[in-house]
Structures are given as structure tokens and as C-alpha cells.
Amino acid sequence: MLKYKSIKGTRDILPDESHRWQFVEQAIRSVMHVFNYREIRTPVFEETALFSRSIGESTDIVGKEMYTFTDRSGISLTLKPEMTAAVMRSYLQNNLGEQQPLVKVYYIAPMFRQERPQAGRLRQFHQFGAEAIGGQDAVVDAEIIALSAEIYRALQLKNFKVKINSVGCENCRPAYKDTLKNYLTGVFDKLSEESQHRFDQNPLRILDSKDDNDRLLTKDAPLMKDYLCKECESHFGELRAILTSIKIEYEIDGRIVRGLDYYTKTAYEIISKDLGSQDALVGGGRYDMLVKELGGKHTPSVGFAAGIERLLMAMEKQNLFTGENSRPAIFIAAADNAGKHWAIIQSMEFRRHGIPCEIDLLGRSLKSQMREADRQNAKFVLIVGETELQQKQVSMKNMKTGEQSNIMIKDLMDYFQHGGGKDETGKTG
Ligand code: HAM
């Protein structure tokens, strides 16, 4: 019986899988780089009010999912359930907007939500995302959507769909909300308990209910996209035109409303067919009122966030990881004490030249060192003992071909620096 176990909904990323994370993170960073987004890192916890104010008191996240605790000085803190609020806090605190009119940042970080764990839904999960702060034109929305889609394209993911919608603004949404409520009043008694609960606070979310009966009941419900004011309508039209011109395929889905309150105009998701019920790879959109809400001046902004665990699940399903975990180029197997001594010194020499090298640290026999080299999938094994050292050479075994030859010690570094230890595939994923 284990004395300690990880907390429900959290998981370890073990050495055998971490290379996949590194591969994906590297791809994310390089696409962010070509789009000229720079990384921002913020603390893991913030004042609770920052999140409840930004995400919205009536949302599931604030209402029942936040990891909130009081620290020893009596302040209420929350482990970040998402990054947008934290990025806006940092933007304001550090006057980032004064240095440039449009601030483009990205992040890769752990998030925390106390949801019911299931495939693709964890309590500590990881997001990558980006925020473009200070631009009101639809071209910024298009860039954010394109940026997220390009990351999946760069990773060669298939079967994903970009779905866009407009959720209007403070001018057109209130009237639409009334229209929707009017419609829903007619079916109220038949709605699920959860949807009935949302009727007063957040009726739009009834539209993305997962309950089949709710879906049927709201089949002909009025949708925000058909009730937009002139400004929102033209913004949405422009976004669609730009997406088409830059060849980003999309669908319009009037039911995308998002689970966070700060959205205005554009709301979008990227969905994967390979994910089951938790099928959203990306959620994002425009949030023009948030910076002002947090005490800054009017700063129209747009961004997205995406779950890394879900991306990995989809990539695994599509067999996109063909590379291998890191492995030593060289394993030095020592036949005796003289060989062991040489191995210690020579391995440092290899490592200082950037060549991955392993030696036996457990005092094993030559035979079991050879077995260990094989287990670690080393590319070459150097076998060395007193006899070899007297002849100023070592025996070298190519583990792939099984070929064995002698190589002069003075030629070793040159051999491995010029091709001998290079990865045949060059892939790491
Ligand atoms: P969100 O839709 O709450 O949006 O989360 C974005 C993505 O994070 C989801 O589509 C999903 O892939 C992943 N995700 C969310 N919750 C979990 C979970 N419990 N387990 C695993 N993955 C999860 C936001 O967070 C907004 N801040 C997005 C944004 C940025 N909007 C504007 N800028």
C-alpha cells in the first residue's frame, strides 16, 4: 500500500513521455516566434478577486472550480484557472501598453480547476495560449485564430475544425438576451436542471448545453449572430473575409458562447474529432471590456488558450510521435579498474563537447554494462580496459549494426564530433 499518491486529477509527466512534451512545446514556441509573440510568465497564484472579477461570478469556474485558499496573512489566493486575467493584471501593473500600442504575448503554463476528472479533463492541466492586447480590428482576431490553427498544422494534426461565432457587445447583447429568454420561457419546464439554473444569470450558456434534450428544445432558438448591431456585424463579416483570404478554413457555429464572461464580438473554438466528449482543443475570442473592468483604460484585446494534454491525446491517436526519447550517443563499458578510471575522465570530455555519454555508476560487470547500454539504446559502446589503454585504443561497437572495430583514443573526439554520434533520424518527438 502506497503511503502517498498524487492528488486526483493530477498526473506525473514521466521521463518516458517528457520528450513528447518538449517536442510539442518546441513547435509551439517556434510558431509563436514567427508570428512575433513573446513569452510572458506570471505567478502560479493571484489574488482571488482578479479571477472572479474577470471570468465572472456566475461561471462554473468561479462558482465551483477554483482552488482558493487563505494564506497565513489572511489574503484569499487562487491557483490560476486560466491565464488571460493574470496577463491583463501584469499588462496593467507593468505598463506594457505604454511601450507599444499592440502587445503580443504567449504562454505555456499549468492551470488549476477542480472539475470532475475524465479523459482530457484534469485538475492540474497545461495550456499554451496567446493574447494580443490593444487592437480592435478584425485582422487581430484573424491573426489569433490563424496562429492557433498554424500550431496544429505545424504538428501535422488532422481532423480539427475551427468554429467561429460572434457574441455581440454591450450594445446588442442585452436586447438579444431578452429575446432568447422570451424563447426559453416557453420551454423552461422541460430544460435540464443545470440549464434552468442558468436562465437568470447566463441564458446564453443554455445554448451550448451538452444535454441532448436541451439541444432539441433549443434547436430553433434565436442566435446572437443574427441579432448583432451594425458594428459587431461588420467586424464579424471582416473577420470571415480575412480568414478566407489567408486560407484558414472555418465554420460558423452560432452556439459557441464560451464558459467565461469576458467575451465580446468574436468567440471561437477548435474542435478535434479524435477527442471524445472533451473535444475542445482551443477556446478563445475577443474581450474588449476586460482591461477597463480591471481598472485600465479601454483596451480591446483578443486571445486564445489550448489544452496541451488534449493536443497530446489527439497526436497519439493519429500516431504523430515517430521520434524517440533522448538516448546516449556513447556508453563506455569498463572491463577493469583502469578502464573505469578512464571512463570517468573521458565521459566528462565527451559531455563538455556536447556529446551525450553514459558510464556505469553501479560497479557492474562488463556483461551487465553491455546489457545496460543496450537497454538505454546507446548508439555506440566503447569497451575499455588496461590492455586497450596500453595500445592507446578502445574497442567500439555500433549497437545498430553490431559491427565492432578498434579506434585510436586520439581519434575518438574527432569521430564523434563529425558524425559518429549524430542521431540518424534527427527527430525528437
Ligand atoms: P477555456 O476554454 O476555459 O479558455 O480553456 C481553453 C482550453 O484549455 C480548452 O479548450 C481545453 O483544451 C483546455 N482545458 C480547459 N480546462 C481543462 C481541463 N480541466 N483539463 C484539460 N484541459 C482543459 C480559457 O482558458 C481562456 N483563458 C482562453 C482565452 C485566452 N480567451 C482569450 N484569451
Side-chain angles (χ1 to χ4, degrees), residues 302-359:
V302 48
F304 79 89
I308 300 185
E309 285 83 359
R310 292 187 192 177
L311 166 59
L312 290 170
M313 276 171 69
M315 287 182 68
E316 272 155 24
K317 191 110 189 258
Q318 295 177 23
N319 290 319
L320 291 175
F321 292 112
T322 50
E324 57 197 15
N325 213 338
S326 73
R327 55 178 176 139
I330 302 166
F331 190 104
I332 306 178
D336 50 32
N337 270 337
K340 200 179 280 181
H341 186 66
W342 184 85
I344 295 169
I345 291 166
Q346 187 61 36
S347 62
M348 278 307 287
E349 205 51 33
F350 281 133
R351 291 164 177 173
R352 284 180 177 137
H353 284 81
I355 300 162
C357 177
E358 183 62 296
I359 59 174

Side-chain angles (χ1 to χ4, degrees), residues 32 36-40 99-100 103-107:
M32 294 291 184
N36 198 26
Y37 284 69
R38 294 182 303 158
E39 189 180 14
I40 186 166
Q99 295 153 29
Q100 56 206 105
V103 174
K104 306 207 304 185
V105 292
Y106 82 88
Y107 45 83

Side-chain angles (χ1 to χ4, degrees), residues 61 65 81-85 107 111-113 115 118 120-131 152 258-260 262-263 269-270 275 278-287 302-311:
I61 298 180
E65 294 169 2
E82 62 111 43
M83 265 300 267
T84 312
Y107 45 83
M111 305 292 151
F112 307 85
R113 296 182 194 177
E115 295 190 77
Q118 63 180 89
R121 193 158 75 188
L122 288 116
R123 292 182 167 177
Q124 172 171 342
F125 59 100
H126 298 77
Q127 282 186 342
F128 64 91
E131 315 289 343
Y152 298 110
R258 314 278 304 117
L260 304 89
Y262 48 61
Y263 293 103
E269 289 184 355
I270 298 183
L275 282 181
Q278 301 303 310
D279 63 351
L281 283 169
V282 171
R286 174 166 282 283
Y287 49 94
V302 48
F304 79 89
I308 300 185
E309 285 83 359
R310 292 187 192 177
L311 166 59

Side-chain angles (χ1 to χ4, degrees), residues 209-227:
S209 163
K210 292 239 148 78
D211 184 286
D212 285 343
N213 193 46
D214 283 355
R215 293 217 155 231
L216 206 66
L217 291 168
T218 57
K219 187 164 63 60
D220 302 315
L223 298 175
M224 183 72 237
K225 69 180 177 59
D226 303 316
Y227 292 80

Side-chain angles (χ1 to χ4, degrees), residues 15-75:
D16 273 347
E17 55 182 336
S18 54
H19 67 112
R20 296 187 169 186
W21 284 74
Q22 291 164 359
F23 175 72
V24 162
E25 284 167 8
Q26 213 165 23
I28 294 166
R29 288 180 194 284
S30 83
V31 178
M32 294 291 184
H33 174 68
V34 298
F35 276 76
N36 198 26
Y37 284 69
R38 294 182 303 158
E39 189 180 14
I40 186 166
R41 301 188 190 194
T42 68
V44 134
F45 51 75
E46 300 271 355
E47 232 176 280
T48 300
L50 171 69
F51 296 117
S52 39
R53 191 75 194 269
S54 308
I55 300 167
E57 298 282 358
S58 71
T59 59
D60 286 350
I61 298 180
V62 174
K64 46 187 184 192
E65 294 169 2
M66 292 206 304
Y67 278 98
T68 297
F69 59 98
T70 310
D71 80 354
R72 285 169 202 274
S73 57
I75 307 170

Side-chain angles (χ1 to χ4, degrees), residues 56-173:
E57 298 282 358
S58 71
T59 59
D60 286 350
I61 298 180
V62 174
K64 46 187 184 192
E65 294 169 2
M66 292 206 304
Y67 278 98
T68 297
F69 59 98
T70 310
D71 80 354
R72 285 169 202 274
S73 57
I75 307 170
S76 178
L77 301 175
T78 293
L79 300 183
K80 57 187 175 194
E82 62 111 43
M83 265 300 267
T84 312
V87 172
M88 292 312 116
R89 195 266 310 136
S90 175
Y91 170 86
L92 287 170
Q93 187 175 344
N94 298 293
N95 293 319
L96 299 184
E98 273 169 25
Q99 295 153 29
Q100 56 206 105
L102 180 68
V103 174
K104 306 207 304 185
V105 292
Y106 82 88
Y107 45 83
I108 302 178
M111 305 292 151
F112 307 85
R113 296 182 194 177
Q114 192 164 4
E115 295 190 77
R116 196 169 48 76
Q118 63 180 89
R121 193 158 75 188
L122 288 116
R123 292 182 167 177
Q124 172 171 342
F125 59 100
H126 298 77
Q127 282 186 342
F128 64 91
E131 315 289 343
I133 313 158
Q136 63 181 9
D137 288 353
V139 66
V140 194
D141 308 52
E143 179 173 284
I144 282 287
I145 294 173
L147 166 60
S148 53
E150 286 301 306
I151 288 170
Y152 298 110
R153 203 186 55 82
L155 288 166
Q156 296 177 9
L157 196 77
K158 288 172 259 340
N159 295 339
F160 67 87
K161 238 185 223 166
V162 178
K163 294 183 165 188
I164 64 169
N165 190 22
S166 175
V167 293
C169 67
E170 77 276 17
N171 293 325
C172 49
R173 205 184 306 158

Side-chain angles (χ1 to χ4, degrees), residues 198-211:
R198 287 189 164 139
F199 182 83
D200 281 321
Q201 299 269 19
N202 206 345
L204 270 75
R205 288 229 56 203
I206 298 176
L207 295 176
D208 78 349
S209 163
K210 292 239 148 78
D211 184 286

